[in-house]
Amino acid sequence: MTRHGRPALLGALLCFAAYFANVAMGAMRMQPPLGDVPEMLMLFVSVILFVAGVLAREAETKATNDPK
């Protein structure tokens, strides 16, 4: 994995893992720690971080492979 974009992708992974754990707890009839709105915000932050990480990696790849 390249240097640029790594923190955003790791953040997206952590946010999505927390979202998934919350949904899994709700499916197992346990009391999930997050309600509907915080759950939606967690997924939204995960998507934003994922997009930022992918765009950063794409920009780095273009910069290193672009013959000028």
Side-chain angles (χ1 to χ4, degrees):
M1 190 181 290
T2 61
R3 245 174 153 42
H4 295 95
R6 177 178 266 186
L9 290 173
L10 288 176
L13 179 64
L14 291 175
C15 285
F16 186 75
Y19 166 79
F20 184 80
N22 191 57
V23 170
M25 287 178 69
M28 292 185 296
R29 305 271 192 247
M30 298 172 64
Q31 180 65 30
L34 299 175
D36 290 341
V37 174
E39 185 179 87
M40 183 262 316
L41 291 174
M42 180 77 70
L43 185 59
F44 181 71
V45 168
S46 177
V47 168
I48 295 299
L49 287 172
F50 180 76
V51 169
V54 168
L55 289 176
R57 290 189 65 189
E58 182 180 354
E60 183 182 7
T61 302
K62 273 189 176 180
T64 58
N65 293 337
D66 189 24
K68 291 185 179 181

